[in-house]
Amino acid sequence: MNDYAGDLPPRQAWDLLASDPDAVLVDVRTSAEWQWVGGADLSELGKRTLGIEWMMSSGEPNPRFLEQLGEAGVAPEAPVLFLCRSGGRSAAAAQAATAAGFGSAYNVAEGFEGDPDDDGHRGSINGWKVAGLAWRQS
């Protein structure tokens, strides 16, 4: 059993973001991943993805993660969906948010890039991009 609201496949996560005006998407990957790999684009929903690193580019945990959620305006009662590369860091972030009092913290299962294929490459089996959801690369 999860210590958070649950795991949502990317399409279901998109549907929740589209149907609930208070729902927020937080990308917990590193700033380098946002810049080089791209990220979810919620502009057609009139929303933006919040980028708050779970692990910093140095490989160290972000000691201010929960504080930064609050600074970004994420309300404890709002559904908050966490996204990472493949669903691991985002699950940990959802657990931490739940422990801190966020009532509806979800993990976006499969993440942005999804699981690796037989050649070790991501982005072809599952995940946000493979689901055909809006994203952009800088």
Side-chain angles (χ1 to χ4, degrees), residues 22 24 30 35 48 54 58 63-64 70-71 73 75 78-79 85 87-88 94 100 102 114 116 127-128 130 134:
D22 296 327
V24 178
T30 64
Q35 181 177 4
R48 66 182 181 88
W54 175 251
S58 65
R64 294 191 61 239
E71 290 171 357
R85 180 182 66 185
F102 288 82
W128 186 276
V130 172

PDB file of all heavy atoms in Angstrom, residues 22 24 30 35 48 54 58 63-64 70-71 73 75 78-79 85 87-88 94 100 102 114 116 127-128 130 134:
ATOM      1  N   ASP A  22      -8.094  23.134  -9.301  1.00  0.00           N
ATOM      2  CA  ASP A  22      -7.113  23.283  -8.234  1.00  0.00           C
ATOM      3  C   ASP A  22      -5.932  22.317  -8.353  1.00  0.00           C
ATOM      4  O   ASP A  22      -4.940  22.465  -7.648  1.00  0.00           O
ATOM      5  CB  ASP A  22      -7.782  23.068  -6.866  1.00  0.00           C
ATOM      6  CG  ASP A  22      -8.823  24.132  -6.564  1.00  0.00           C
ATOM      7  OD1 ASP A  22      -8.643  25.291  -6.995  1.00  0.00           O
ATOM      8  OD2 ASP A  22      -9.832  23.801  -5.908  1.00  0.00           O
ATOM      9  N   VAL A  24      -2.587  20.503  -9.383  1.00  0.00           N
ATOM     10  CA  VAL A  24      -1.277  21.063  -9.725  1.00  0.00           C
ATOM     11  C   VAL A  24      -0.339  19.926 -10.130  1.00  0.00           C
ATOM     12  O   VAL A  24      -0.335  18.863  -9.510  1.00  0.00           O
ATOM     13  CB  VAL A  24      -0.678  21.791  -8.505  1.00  0.00           C
ATOM     14  CG1 VAL A  24       0.702  22.335  -8.798  1.00  0.00           C
ATOM     15  CG2 VAL A  24      -1.605  22.905  -8.033  1.00  0.00           C
ATOM     16  N   THR A  30      15.480  17.113 -12.149  1.00  0.00           N
ATOM     17  CA  THR A  30      16.469  18.178 -11.989  1.00  0.00           C
ATOM     18  C   THR A  30      16.289  19.246 -13.070  1.00  0.00           C
ATOM     19  O   THR A  30      15.703  18.995 -14.128  1.00  0.00           O
ATOM     20  CB  THR A  30      17.908  17.627 -12.080  1.00  0.00           C
ATOM     21  OG1 THR A  30      18.107  17.102 -13.399  1.00  0.00           O
ATOM     22  CG2 THR A  30      18.152  16.557 -11.030  1.00  0.00           C
ATOM     23  N   GLN A  35      15.594  21.189 -18.795  1.00  0.00           N
ATOM     24  CA  GLN A  35      16.177  21.925 -19.917  1.00  0.00           C
ATOM     25  C   GLN A  35      16.470  21.023 -21.111  1.00  0.00           C
ATOM     26  O   GLN A  35      16.150  21.368 -22.241  1.00  0.00           O
ATOM     27  CB  GLN A  35      17.452  22.630 -19.469  1.00  0.00           C
ATOM     28  CG  GLN A  35      18.101  23.424 -20.577  1.00  0.00           C
ATOM     29  CD  GLN A  35      19.335  24.169 -20.098  1.00  0.00           C
ATOM     30  OE1 GLN A  35      19.763  24.046 -18.950  1.00  0.00           O
ATOM     31  NE2 GLN A  35      19.919  24.937 -20.991  1.00  0.00           N
ATOM     32  N   ARG A  48       0.421  25.816 -15.627  1.00  0.00           N
ATOM     33  CA  ARG A  48       1.844  25.615 -15.882  1.00  0.00           C
ATOM     34  C   ARG A  48       2.360  24.533 -14.941  1.00  0.00           C
ATOM     35  O   ARG A  48       1.830  24.331 -13.855  1.00  0.00           O
ATOM     36  CB  ARG A  48       2.642  26.901 -15.731  1.00  0.00           C
ATOM     37  CG  ARG A  48       2.682  27.452 -14.337  1.00  0.00           C
ATOM     38  CD  ARG A  48       3.476  28.778 -14.301  1.00  0.00           C
ATOM     39  NE  ARG A  48       3.527  29.292 -12.946  1.00  0.00           N
ATOM     40  CZ  ARG A  48       4.454  28.985 -12.053  1.00  0.00           C
ATOM     41  NH1 ARG A  48       5.434  28.186 -12.375  1.00  0.00           N
ATOM     42  NH2 ARG A  48       4.416  29.492 -10.836  1.00  0.00           N
ATOM     43  N   TRP A  54      13.399  17.297  -6.553  1.00  0.00           N
ATOM     44  CA  TRP A  54      13.414  16.378  -5.407  1.00  0.00           C
ATOM     45  C   TRP A  54      14.872  16.089  -5.032  1.00  0.00           C
ATOM     46  O   TRP A  54      15.252  16.127  -3.880  1.00  0.00           O
ATOM     47  CB  TRP A  54      12.666  15.094  -5.766  1.00  0.00           C
ATOM     48  CG  TRP A  54      12.720  14.040  -4.709  1.00  0.00           C
ATOM     49  CD1 TRP A  54      13.414  12.859  -4.775  1.00  0.00           C
ATOM     50  CD2 TRP A  54      12.087  14.050  -3.434  1.00  0.00           C
ATOM     51  NE1 TRP A  54      13.240  12.146  -3.608  1.00  0.00           N
ATOM     52  CE2 TRP A  54      12.427  12.860  -2.773  1.00  0.00           C
ATOM     53  CE3 TRP A  54      11.253  14.968  -2.783  1.00  0.00           C
ATOM     54  CZ2 TRP A  54      11.973  12.553  -1.499  1.00  0.00           C
ATOM     55  CZ3 TRP A  54      10.797  14.661  -1.511  1.00  0.00           C
ATOM     56  CH2 TRP A  54      11.152  13.466  -0.887  1.00  0.00           C
ATOM     57  N   SER A  58      23.322  18.051  -8.026  1.00  0.00           N
ATOM     58  CA  SER A  58      24.514  17.519  -7.355  1.00  0.00           C
ATOM     59  C   SER A  58      24.312  16.079  -6.895  1.00  0.00           C
ATOM     60  O   SER A  58      25.263  15.419  -6.487  1.00  0.00           O
ATOM     61  CB  SER A  58      24.847  18.387  -6.141  1.00  0.00           C
ATOM     62  OG  SER A  58      23.802  18.280  -5.171  1.00  0.00           O
ATOM     63  N   PRO A  63      16.847  19.772   0.432  1.00  0.00           N
ATOM     64  CA  PRO A  63      16.379  19.928   1.803  1.00  0.00           C
ATOM     65  C   PRO A  63      15.204  20.898   1.923  1.00  0.00           C
ATOM     66  O   PRO A  63      14.506  20.893   2.932  1.00  0.00           O
ATOM     67  CB  PRO A  63      17.608  20.453   2.553  1.00  0.00           C
ATOM     68  CG  PRO A  63      18.424  21.143   1.513  1.00  0.00           C
ATOM     69  CD  PRO A  63      18.174  20.373   0.232  1.00  0.00           C
ATOM     70  N   ARG A  64      14.966  21.694   0.910  1.00  0.00           N
ATOM     71  CA  ARG A  64      13.890  22.697   0.946  1.00  0.00           C
ATOM     72  C   ARG A  64      12.668  22.279   0.125  1.00  0.00           C
ATOM     73  O   ARG A  64      11.791  23.086  -0.145  1.00  0.00           O
ATOM     74  CB  ARG A  64      14.423  24.041   0.430  1.00  0.00           C
ATOM     75  CG  ARG A  64      15.485  24.651   1.358  1.00  0.00           C
ATOM     76  CD  ARG A  64      15.815  26.093   0.984  1.00  0.00           C
ATOM     77  NE  ARG A  64      14.620  26.914   1.109  1.00  0.00           N
ATOM     78  CZ  ARG A  64      14.082  27.621   0.089  1.00  0.00           C
ATOM     79  NH1 ARG A  64      14.620  27.606  -1.101  1.00  0.00           N
ATOM     80  NH2 ARG A  64      12.996  28.334   0.283  1.00  0.00           N
ATOM     81  N   GLY A  70       5.286  24.966  -0.715  1.00  0.00           N
ATOM     82  CA  GLY A  70       4.488  26.040  -0.130  1.00  0.00           C
ATOM     83  C   GLY A  70       4.769  27.380  -0.782  1.00  0.00           C
ATOM     84  O   GLY A  70       3.837  28.135  -1.092  1.00  0.00           O
ATOM     85  N   GLU A  71       6.041  27.671  -1.020  1.00  0.00           N
ATOM     86  CA  GLU A  71       6.417  28.940  -1.661  1.00  0.00           C
ATOM     87  C   GLU A  71       5.829  29.057  -3.060  1.00  0.00           C
ATOM     88  O   GLU A  71       5.546  30.154  -3.541  1.00  0.00           O
ATOM     89  CB  GLU A  71       7.938  29.072  -1.732  1.00  0.00           C
ATOM     90  CG  GLU A  71       8.588  29.296  -0.388  1.00  0.00           C
ATOM     91  CD  GLU A  71      10.111  29.220  -0.443  1.00  0.00           C
ATOM     92  OE1 GLU A  71      10.681  28.939  -1.528  1.00  0.00           O
ATOM     93  OE2 GLU A  71      10.739  29.423   0.612  1.00  0.00           O
ATOM     94  N   GLY A  73       2.979  28.081  -3.877  1.00  0.00           N
ATOM     95  CA  GLY A  73       1.540  28.266  -3.768  1.00  0.00           C
ATOM     96  C   GLY A  73       0.732  26.988  -3.807  1.00  0.00           C
ATOM     97  O   GLY A  73      -0.487  27.032  -4.009  1.00  0.00           O
ATOM     98  N   ALA A  75      -1.414  24.433  -2.360  1.00  0.00           N
ATOM     99  CA  ALA A  75      -2.245  24.361  -1.155  1.00  0.00           C
ATOM    100  C   ALA A  75      -2.330  22.913  -0.672  1.00  0.00           C
ATOM    101  O   ALA A  75      -2.469  21.999  -1.491  1.00  0.00           O
ATOM    102  CB  ALA A  75      -3.638  24.902  -1.444  1.00  0.00           C
ATOM    103  N   ALA A  78      -5.208  20.916  -2.127  1.00  0.00           N
ATOM    104  CA  ALA A  78      -5.318  20.761  -3.588  1.00  0.00           C
ATOM    105  C   ALA A  78      -4.714  19.435  -4.026  1.00  0.00           C
ATOM    106  O   ALA A  78      -3.708  18.984  -3.471  1.00  0.00           O
ATOM    107  CB  ALA A  78      -4.594  21.901  -4.292  1.00  0.00           C
ATOM    108  N   PRO A  79      -5.293  18.799  -5.036  1.00  0.00           N
ATOM    109  CA  PRO A  79      -4.635  17.612  -5.598  1.00  0.00           C
ATOM    110  C   PRO A  79      -3.296  18.025  -6.212  1.00  0.00           C
ATOM    111  O   PRO A  79      -3.238  18.961  -7.013  1.00  0.00           O
ATOM    112  CB  PRO A  79      -5.600  17.136  -6.683  1.00  0.00           C
ATOM    113  CG  PRO A  79      -6.901  17.788  -6.368  1.00  0.00           C
ATOM    114  CD  PRO A  79      -6.567  19.078  -5.685  1.00  0.00           C
ATOM    115  N   ARG A  85      11.190  11.197 -14.074  1.00  0.00           N
ATOM    116  CA  ARG A  85      11.547  10.499 -15.309  1.00  0.00           C
ATOM    117  C   ARG A  85      10.743   9.218 -15.475  1.00  0.00           C
ATOM    118  O   ARG A  85      10.221   8.937 -16.551  1.00  0.00           O
ATOM    119  CB  ARG A  85      13.050  10.185 -15.342  1.00  0.00           C
ATOM    120  CG  ARG A  85      13.478   9.455 -16.611  1.00  0.00           C
ATOM    121  CD  ARG A  85      14.925   9.104 -16.605  1.00  0.00           C
ATOM    122  NE  ARG A  85      15.174   8.115 -15.551  1.00  0.00           N
ATOM    123  CZ  ARG A  85      16.371   7.657 -15.223  1.00  0.00           C
ATOM    124  NH1 ARG A  85      17.437   8.096 -15.854  1.00  0.00           N
ATOM    125  NH2 ARG A  85      16.511   6.772 -14.269  1.00  0.00           N
ATOM    126  N   GLY A  87       8.886   7.591 -12.444  1.00  0.00           N
ATOM    127  CA  GLY A  87       7.938   7.327 -11.369  1.00  0.00           C
ATOM    128  C   GLY A  87       8.542   7.031 -10.016  1.00  0.00           C
ATOM    129  O   GLY A  87       7.813   6.870  -9.047  1.00  0.00           O
ATOM    130  N   GLY A  88       9.855   6.970  -9.903  1.00  0.00           N
ATOM    131  CA  GLY A  88      10.495   6.669  -8.625  1.00  0.00           C
ATOM    132  C   GLY A  88      10.622   7.874  -7.713  1.00  0.00           C
ATOM    133  O   GLY A  88      10.150   7.853  -6.572  1.00  0.00           O
ATOM    134  N   ALA A  94       5.630  12.230  -3.429  1.00  0.00           N
ATOM    135  CA  ALA A  94       4.233  12.105  -3.013  1.00  0.00           C
ATOM    136  C   ALA A  94       4.146  11.601  -1.575  1.00  0.00           C
ATOM    137  O   ALA A  94       3.300  12.070  -0.793  1.00  0.00           O
ATOM    138  CB  ALA A  94       3.479  11.172  -3.960  1.00  0.00           C
ATOM    139  N   ALA A 100       3.676  15.418   5.132  1.00  0.00           N
ATOM    140  CA  ALA A 100       3.700  16.823   5.540  1.00  0.00           C
ATOM    141  C   ALA A 100       2.301  17.444   5.574  1.00  0.00           C
ATOM    142  O   ALA A 100       2.166  18.633   5.845  1.00  0.00           O
ATOM    143  CB  ALA A 100       4.602  17.617   4.597  1.00  0.00           C
ATOM    144  N   PHE A 102      -0.174  17.169   2.949  1.00  0.00           N
ATOM    145  CA  PHE A 102      -0.863  17.346   1.670  1.00  0.00           C
ATOM    146  C   PHE A 102      -1.807  16.159   1.512  1.00  0.00           C
ATOM    147  O   PHE A 102      -1.377  15.017   1.489  1.00  0.00           O
ATOM    148  CB  PHE A 102       0.129  17.427   0.509  1.00  0.00           C
ATOM    149  CG  PHE A 102       0.890  18.720   0.481  1.00  0.00           C
ATOM    150  CD1 PHE A 102       2.009  18.892   1.282  1.00  0.00           C
ATOM    151  CD2 PHE A 102       0.490  19.762  -0.326  1.00  0.00           C
ATOM    152  CE1 PHE A 102       2.709  20.088   1.276  1.00  0.00           C
ATOM    153  CE2 PHE A 102       1.184  20.963  -0.344  1.00  0.00           C
ATOM    154  CZ  PHE A 102       2.301  21.126   0.466  1.00  0.00           C
ATOM    155  N   GLY A 114       9.191   7.268 -19.085  1.00  0.00           N
ATOM    156  CA  GLY A 114       8.797   5.871 -19.018  1.00  0.00           C
ATOM    157  C   GLY A 114       9.937   4.909 -18.765  1.00  0.00           C
ATOM    158  O   GLY A 114      11.070   5.292 -18.481  1.00  0.00           O
ATOM    159  N   PRO A 116      12.719   1.856 -19.539  1.00  0.00           N
ATOM    160  CA  PRO A 116      13.648   1.610 -20.642  1.00  0.00           C
ATOM    161  C   PRO A 116      13.208   0.414 -21.488  1.00  0.00           C
ATOM    162  O   PRO A 116      12.641  -0.544 -20.978  1.00  0.00           O
ATOM    163  CB  PRO A 116      14.980   1.328 -19.935  1.00  0.00           C
ATOM    164  CG  PRO A 116      14.632   0.963 -18.538  1.00  0.00           C
ATOM    165  CD  PRO A 116      13.299   1.573 -18.233  1.00  0.00           C
ATOM    166  N   GLY A 127       4.910   6.181 -20.460  1.00  0.00           N
ATOM    167  CA  GLY A 127       5.251   7.498 -19.928  1.00  0.00           C
ATOM    168  C   GLY A 127       4.440   8.603 -20.577  1.00  0.00           C
ATOM    169  O   GLY A 127       3.654   8.390 -21.504  1.00  0.00           O
ATOM    170  N   TRP A 128       4.612   9.803 -20.043  1.00  0.00           N
ATOM    171  CA  TRP A 128       3.872  11.002 -20.484  1.00  0.00           C
ATOM    172  C   TRP A 128       4.020  11.232 -21.982  1.00  0.00           C
ATOM    173  O   TRP A 128       3.046  11.420 -22.696  1.00  0.00           O
ATOM    174  CB  TRP A 128       4.408  12.212 -19.710  1.00  0.00           C
ATOM    175  CG  TRP A 128       3.672  13.490 -19.932  1.00  0.00           C
ATOM    176  CD1 TRP A 128       3.857  14.381 -20.956  1.00  0.00           C
ATOM    177  CD2 TRP A 128       2.641  14.034 -19.103  1.00  0.00           C
ATOM    178  NE1 TRP A 128       3.012  15.447 -20.819  1.00  0.00           N
ATOM    179  CE2 TRP A 128       2.257  15.262 -19.681  1.00  0.00           C
ATOM    180  CE3 TRP A 128       2.022  13.614 -17.937  1.00  0.00           C
ATOM    181  CZ2 TRP A 128       1.268  16.074 -19.120  1.00  0.00           C
ATOM    182  CZ3 TRP A 128       1.045  14.425 -17.388  1.00  0.00           C
ATOM    183  CH2 TRP A 128       0.675  15.630 -17.976  1.00  0.00           C
ATOM    184  N   VAL A 130       5.034   9.137 -24.430  1.00  0.00           N
ATOM    185  CA  VAL A 130       4.496   8.039 -25.241  1.00  0.00           C
ATOM    186  C   VAL A 130       2.970   8.063 -25.248  1.00  0.00           C
ATOM    187  O   VAL A 130       2.350   7.684 -26.243  1.00  0.00           O
ATOM    188  CB  VAL A 130       5.038   6.677 -24.746  1.00  0.00           C
ATOM    189  CG1 VAL A 130       4.349   5.520 -25.428  1.00  0.00           C
ATOM    190  CG2 VAL A 130       6.541   6.595 -24.995  1.00  0.00           C
ATOM    191  N   ALA A 134       0.724  16.577 -24.112  1.00  0.00           N
ATOM    192  CA  ALA A 134       1.459  17.771 -24.511  1.00  0.00           C
ATOM    193  C   ALA A 134       2.755  17.937 -23.706  1.00  0.00           C
ATOM    194  O   ALA A 134       2.776  17.741 -22.493  1.00  0.00           O
ATOM    195  CB  ALA A 134       0.578  19.017 -24.305  1.00  0.00           C
TER     196      ALA A 134
END
